[in-house]
Amino acid sequence: MSVTRGGALPGGAYDVTVIGAGVVGSAIARELARLPLRIALVEAADDVGDGTSKANTAILHTGFDAVPGSLESRLVREGQRRLTAYAADSGIPVEPLGALLVAWDEEQLAALPGLADKAVRNGYRSARIIPADEVRAREPELGPGVLGALDVPGESVVCPWTTTLAYATQAVRAGTDLHLNCRVTSVTPGDPHLLGTSRGPLRTRHLVNAAGLYADAVDRLLGHADFTVTPRRGQLIVFDELARPLVRHILLPVPGALGKGVLVTPTVYGNVLLGPTAEDLDDKTATGSTAEGLALLREKGRRILPALLDEEVTAVYAGLRAATGGEDYAIRARPAQRYVTVGGIRSTGLTASMAIAAHVVELLADGGLPVKGAREPQPVRMPNLGEAFPRPYRDAELIAADPEYGRIVCHCERVTRGEIRDALASTVPPGSPDGLRRRTRARAGRCQGFHCGAAVRALFEAGRR
């Protein structure tokens, strides 16, 4: 197993190379690592999960509102079952809060029966329409004017950072080569394919394109132009942990043409998210927040949960989703080329990731990939980042055995020296302080690293030597 961040790539040819180490690409690499093959996972950034996968609403979906009969519908349903079980086994925090799709006007109220019927057609039979008084009893802080809601009890929140890292960790431990800072610049199709990268040539017999926002560009390198990715920016506001008692469920709007709209949801980290916006852009790097976007979110939030706007804002951020204009995933197999495109994976990609991975391996098998001899990967147990689950700073036995777990560095998020040490020595160590934050929550709290930033940076630099 190896994780590389610089230098020339190793020689020889891989059996399969996956481009893109987001949650979907990492899940595919993990699934492929079950086979006795030589696998590579290449990523342009310096860490796994550094693109869309790190900046989303982190909801574990039921798939109740997918397009019935679509590939997305099937993979989200299957992926939700797989990821729920995997999270329990791997220590990934999940909180089953349930969701309420709140109707604020007669048009939205009239849409609820259709959404309930869609849920049934998607194989989800637990959704039900509830009246305004029940909605108010279950969410007392909602703004005035609630007319009813669709109750979806199976929706949960999950840690997206740990999920991606768990997949990549298992893949690497099973023998996958993870090459970071490795941008693919050209592809010469053949047997094997020859990839030009920012770190030199790479040869591979089979190729999987899970490049997210750049999946269309990679597709064109192989001679295909089936879809175009439009970056859809979603800005979000993070409210302090003191806002958490204001909301008990995931509060969803009735979906519109651009997606699910602005929601309010707790996170597994103990704070509250408001967002996202849905802005179609031309720039695939435009992850900055805007005054207009934040003002829109505050306006929407004031109607949904007025008291939320009185709480402290911890952070604002923006993520880019890979919109294609289609109503389904753009997963395409080219058996003659030994090539699979995994494009157009929207906000449900986190939920569907394990099912997408299994589907992609089936498509690769149709292109001649040998899939005999599969074995289960060694189990992995990830450090817990969830506030509703035991954390080291509160574990007296753990601290007694190793006092480093009692030495808090980041007081806002209660992150200890022991956790930072472990992250820096892990199978897939962070390549930056931001990567360390996604592994520990250090610098993610209300002061955003103002007090602990220098200490965290010093530990990071010392751990890299």
mmCIF file of all heavy atoms in Angstrom, residues 6-31:
data_model
loop_
_atom_site.group_PDB
_atom_site.id
_atom_site.type_symbol
_atom_site.label_atom_id
_atom_site.label_comp_id
_atom_site.label_asym_id
_atom_site.label_seq_id
_atom_site.Cartn_x
_atom_site.Cartn_y
_atom_site.Cartn_z
ATOM 1 N N GLY A 6 4.000 13.452 -4.161
ATOM 2 C CA GLY A 6 4.931 14.112 -5.061
ATOM 3 C C GLY A 6 5.882 13.109 -5.676
ATOM 4 O O GLY A 6 5.890 11.933 -5.313
ATOM 5 N N GLY A 7 6.656 13.584 -6.638
ATOM 6 C CA GLY A 7 7.609 12.719 -7.303
ATOM 7 C C GLY A 7 6.986 11.966 -8.459
ATOM 8 O O GLY A 7 5.789 12.032 -8.723
ATOM 9 N N ALA A 8 7.819 11.232 -9.158
ATOM 10 C CA ALA A 8 7.366 10.463 -10.314
ATOM 11 C C ALA A 8 6.497 9.295 -9.876
ATOM 12 O O ALA A 8 6.696 8.713 -8.796
ATOM 13 C CB ALA A 8 8.568 9.956 -11.098
ATOM 14 N N LEU A 9 5.540 8.940 -10.698
ATOM 15 C CA LEU A 9 4.664 7.802 -10.417
ATOM 16 C C LEU A 9 5.420 6.501 -10.675
ATOM 17 O O LEU A 9 6.356 6.464 -11.474
ATOM 18 C CB LEU A 9 3.417 7.873 -11.295
ATOM 19 C CG LEU A 9 2.535 9.098 -11.094
ATOM 20 C CD1 LEU A 9 1.396 9.109 -12.110
ATOM 21 C CD2 LEU A 9 1.969 9.134 -9.679
ATOM 22 N N PRO A 10 5.017 5.429 -10.009
ATOM 23 C CA PRO A 10 5.691 4.147 -10.233
ATOM 24 C C PRO A 10 5.443 3.641 -11.650
ATOM 25 O O PRO A 10 4.461 4.002 -12.293
ATOM 26 C CB PRO A 10 5.057 3.231 -9.185
ATOM 27 C CG PRO A 10 3.753 3.862 -8.850
ATOM 28 C CD PRO A 10 3.960 5.333 -8.991
ATOM 29 N N GLY A 11 6.321 2.810 -12.120
ATOM 30 C CA GLY A 11 6.185 2.270 -13.464
ATOM 31 C C GLY A 11 5.221 1.103 -13.520
ATOM 32 O O GLY A 11 4.547 0.759 -12.547
ATOM 33 N N GLY A 12 5.180 0.478 -14.682
ATOM 34 C CA GLY A 12 4.253 -0.634 -14.872
ATOM 35 C C GLY A 12 2.859 -0.146 -15.155
ATOM 36 O O GLY A 12 2.586 1.048 -15.187
ATOM 37 N N ALA A 13 1.956 -1.085 -15.374
ATOM 38 C CA ALA A 13 0.568 -0.740 -15.695
ATOM 39 C C ALA A 13 -0.359 -1.212 -14.582
ATOM 40 O O ALA A 13 -0.216 -2.312 -14.055
ATOM 41 C CB ALA A 13 0.160 -1.371 -17.025
ATOM 42 N N TYR A 14 -1.316 -0.366 -14.246
ATOM 43 C CA TYR A 14 -2.362 -0.737 -13.299
ATOM 44 C C TYR A 14 -3.463 -1.496 -14.030
ATOM 45 O O TYR A 14 -3.684 -1.311 -15.233
ATOM 46 C CB TYR A 14 -2.953 0.508 -12.635
ATOM 47 C CG TYR A 14 -2.018 1.177 -11.655
ATOM 48 C CD1 TYR A 14 -1.280 2.298 -12.023
ATOM 49 C CD2 TYR A 14 -1.873 0.688 -10.362
ATOM 50 C CE1 TYR A 14 -0.422 2.919 -11.122
ATOM 51 C CE2 TYR A 14 -1.012 1.298 -9.458
ATOM 52 C CZ TYR A 14 -0.295 2.410 -9.847
ATOM 53 O OH TYR A 14 0.549 3.018 -8.951
ATOM 54 N N ASP A 15 -4.147 -2.335 -13.288
ATOM 55 C CA ASP A 15 -5.328 -2.991 -13.867
ATOM 56 C C ASP A 15 -6.474 -2.002 -14.004
ATOM 57 O O ASP A 15 -7.177 -1.979 -15.014
ATOM 58 C CB ASP A 15 -5.755 -4.178 -12.995
ATOM 59 C CG ASP A 15 -4.717 -5.277 -12.993
ATOM 60 O OD1 ASP A 15 -4.466 -5.852 -14.071
ATOM 61 O OD2 ASP A 15 -4.143 -5.562 -11.924
ATOM 62 N N VAL A 16 -6.695 -1.187 -12.958
ATOM 63 C CA VAL A 16 -7.740 -0.160 -12.986
ATOM 64 C C VAL A 16 -7.205 1.097 -12.313
ATOM 65 O O VAL A 16 -6.566 1.032 -11.261
ATOM 66 C CB VAL A 16 -9.025 -0.593 -12.239
ATOM 67 C CG1 VAL A 16 -10.158 0.404 -12.524
ATOM 68 C CG2 VAL A 16 -9.458 -1.997 -12.601
ATOM 69 N N THR A 17 -7.487 2.238 -12.919
ATOM 70 C CA THR A 17 -7.204 3.531 -12.302
ATOM 71 C C THR A 17 -8.508 4.305 -12.173
ATOM 72 O O THR A 17 -9.298 4.377 -13.118
ATOM 73 C CB THR A 17 -6.194 4.337 -13.137
ATOM 74 O OG1 THR A 17 -4.939 3.647 -13.130
ATOM 75 C CG2 THR A 17 -6.007 5.739 -12.583
ATOM 76 N N VAL A 18 -8.737 4.872 -11.000
ATOM 77 C CA VAL A 18 -9.901 5.709 -10.733
ATOM 78 C C VAL A 18 -9.424 7.150 -10.654
ATOM 79 O O VAL A 18 -8.520 7.463 -9.869
ATOM 80 C CB VAL A 18 -10.595 5.314 -9.414
ATOM 81 C CG1 VAL A 18 -11.825 6.204 -9.168
ATOM 82 C CG2 VAL A 18 -10.987 3.843 -9.431
ATOM 83 N N ILE A 19 -10.005 8.019 -11.470
ATOM 84 C CA ILE A 19 -9.671 9.443 -11.434
ATOM 85 C C ILE A 19 -10.667 10.145 -10.520
ATOM 86 O O ILE A 19 -11.867 10.148 -10.784
ATOM 87 C CB ILE A 19 -9.729 10.064 -12.839
ATOM 88 C CG1 ILE A 19 -8.771 9.343 -13.800
ATOM 89 C CG2 ILE A 19 -9.405 11.551 -12.787
ATOM 90 C CD1 ILE A 19 -8.908 9.807 -15.245
ATOM 91 N N GLY A 20 -10.172 10.743 -9.445
ATOM 92 C CA GLY A 20 -11.015 11.487 -8.526
ATOM 93 C C GLY A 20 -11.202 10.762 -7.206
ATOM 94 O O GLY A 20 -11.801 9.687 -7.174
ATOM 95 N N ALA A 21 -10.703 11.368 -6.122
ATOM 96 C CA ALA A 21 -10.785 10.742 -4.800
ATOM 97 C C ALA A 21 -11.775 11.462 -3.907
ATOM 98 O O ALA A 21 -11.512 11.714 -2.734
ATOM 99 C CB ALA A 21 -9.414 10.687 -4.140
ATOM 100 N N GLY A 22 -12.937 11.811 -4.485
ATOM 101 C CA GLY A 22 -14.050 12.258 -3.663
ATOM 102 C C GLY A 22 -14.732 11.061 -3.036
ATOM 103 O O GLY A 22 -14.205 9.944 -3.061
ATOM 104 N N VAL A 23 -15.917 11.265 -2.489
ATOM 105 C CA VAL A 23 -16.581 10.160 -1.799
ATOM 106 C C VAL A 23 -16.916 9.034 -2.757
ATOM 107 O O VAL A 23 -16.798 7.851 -2.412
ATOM 108 C CB VAL A 23 -17.827 10.660 -1.033
ATOM 109 C CG1 VAL A 23 -18.964 11.090 -1.972
ATOM 110 C CG2 VAL A 23 -18.314 9.612 -0.046
ATOM 111 N N VAL A 24 -17.294 9.353 -4.005
ATOM 112 C CA VAL A 24 -17.658 8.307 -4.961
ATOM 113 C C VAL A 24 -16.409 7.613 -5.489
ATOM 114 O O VAL A 24 -16.344 6.372 -5.530
ATOM 115 C CB VAL A 24 -18.497 8.900 -6.107
ATOM 116 C CG1 VAL A 24 -18.691 7.875 -7.221
ATOM 117 C CG2 VAL A 24 -19.858 9.358 -5.588
ATOM 118 N N GLY A 25 -15.391 8.364 -5.888
ATOM 119 C CA GLY A 25 -14.167 7.744 -6.378
ATOM 120 C C GLY A 25 -13.502 6.882 -5.319
ATOM 121 O O GLY A 25 -13.000 5.781 -5.613
ATOM 122 N N SER A 26 -13.503 7.350 -4.068
ATOM 123 C CA SER A 26 -12.906 6.564 -2.987
ATOM 124 C C SER A 26 -13.706 5.299 -2.722
ATOM 125 O O SER A 26 -13.127 4.240 -2.431
ATOM 126 C CB SER A 26 -12.812 7.417 -1.715
ATOM 127 O OG SER A 26 -11.938 8.515 -1.905
ATOM 128 N N ALA A 27 -15.023 5.384 -2.822
ATOM 129 C CA ALA A 27 -15.860 4.193 -2.655
ATOM 130 C C ALA A 27 -15.584 3.175 -3.759
ATOM 131 O O ALA A 27 -15.535 1.959 -3.513
ATOM 132 C CB ALA A 27 -17.338 4.579 -2.648
ATOM 133 N N ILE A 28 -15.396 3.663 -4.990
ATOM 134 C CA ILE A 28 -15.090 2.759 -6.105
ATOM 135 C C ILE A 28 -13.734 2.091 -5.882
ATOM 136 O O ILE A 28 -13.583 0.881 -6.098
ATOM 137 C CB ILE A 28 -15.120 3.526 -7.441
ATOM 138 C CG1 ILE A 28 -16.551 4.007 -7.741
ATOM 139 C CG2 ILE A 28 -14.612 2.647 -8.584
ATOM 140 C CD1 ILE A 28 -16.631 5.009 -8.887
ATOM 141 N N ALA A 29 -12.746 2.867 -5.446
ATOM 142 C CA ALA A 29 -11.422 2.290 -5.177
ATOM 143 C C ALA A 29 -11.514 1.232 -4.081
ATOM 144 O O ALA A 29 -10.867 0.178 -4.169
ATOM 145 C CB ALA A 29 -10.443 3.387 -4.779
ATOM 146 N N ARG A 30 -12.290 1.492 -3.057
ATOM 147 C CA ARG A 30 -12.471 0.509 -1.977
ATOM 148 C C ARG A 30 -13.090 -0.778 -2.520
ATOM 149 O O ARG A 30 -12.654 -1.884 -2.175
ATOM 150 C CB ARG A 30 -13.363 1.093 -0.885
ATOM 151 C CG ARG A 30 -13.738 0.097 0.206
ATOM 152 C CD ARG A 30 -14.862 0.629 1.094
ATOM 153 N NE ARG A 30 -15.287 -0.409 2.030
ATOM 154 C CZ ARG A 30 -16.174 -1.360 1.750
ATOM 155 N NH1 ARG A 30 -16.728 -1.398 0.538
ATOM 156 N NH2 ARG A 30 -16.501 -2.260 2.654
ATOM 157 N N GLU A 31 -14.094 -0.649 -3.370
ATOM 158 C CA GLU A 31 -14.761 -1.833 -3.926
ATOM 159 C C GLU A 31 -13.800 -2.608 -4.830
ATOM 160 O O GLU A 31 -13.752 -3.839 -4.786
ATOM 161 C CB GLU A 31 -16.006 -1.404 -4.698
ATOM 162 C CG GLU A 31 -16.889 -2.535 -5.188
ATOM 163 C CD GLU A 31 -17.638 -3.255 -4.082
ATOM 164 O OE1 GLU A 31 -17.728 -2.720 -2.952
ATOM 165 O OE2 GLU A 31 -18.135 -4.375 -4.342
#
